[in-house]
Amino acid sequence: MTPGLSWRIAKATPAHWTVGADKGYDTFEFVEVIRELGVTPHVAQNATRRGGSAIDARTPRHPNYAKSQHARPRIERAFAWMKTIGWLRKIKLRGLANVDWLVVFVSAAFNLRRLATLTTAPA
């Protein structure tokens, strides 16, 4: 690899990666693998699980964890709309190109719907 290319890759990667997930991913195996990859898990804590939460006490105290948990419902709402209204729950198309087209089309439709809602909302 050329020195210029490695510099560009190093410059393009962010200083710190995080991954957000719901409490179904709050397992010791998942959190361990994510941490081995150098990524901070912003997983919702599942305190009712036998053995307790896999997230240590440091992570929930961080302000970025709170931001990540605050943004989760907004993101999940988009995927829920795409699955119910946009036919992504049971895709009836064959081939990766067709499925890719459907995902792009449904995402664009969701963005147009959101844009219409945002422009008609009172200030």
Side-chain angles (χ1 to χ4, degrees), residues 64-114:
N64 288 340
Y65 179 81
K67 289 179 188 175
S68 177
Q69 293 304 306
H70 181 73
R72 263 188 55 236
R74 194 174 48 225
I75 296 162
E76 289 178 4
R77 198 172 307 129
F79 281 104
W81 187 91
M82 288 192 261
K83 286 166 88 174
T84 56
I85 308 298
W87 306 329
L88 291 185
R89 188 173 310 275
K90 287 179 96 175
I91 297 176
K92 304 205 180 352
L93 299 175
R94 288 189 173 205
L96 192 57
N98 289 335
V99 173
D100 182 48
W101 173 85
L102 180 64
V103 171
V104 169
F105 182 77
V106 170
S107 300
F110 178 77
N111 284 336
L112 287 173
R113 181 194 150 273
R114 214 172 133 246

Side-chain angles (χ1 to χ4, degrees), residues 7-37:
W7 176 80
R8 282 187 213 136
I9 292 171
K11 187 177 177 187
T13 57
H16 199 77
W17 289 73
T18 62
V19 62
D22 61 5
K23 66 181 180 178
Y25 289 92
D26 187 13
T27 62
F28 289 105
E29 297 85 18
F30 179 76
V31 171
E32 181 182 351
V33 168
I34 292 298
R35 287 206 168 118
E36 285 175 3
L37 293 172

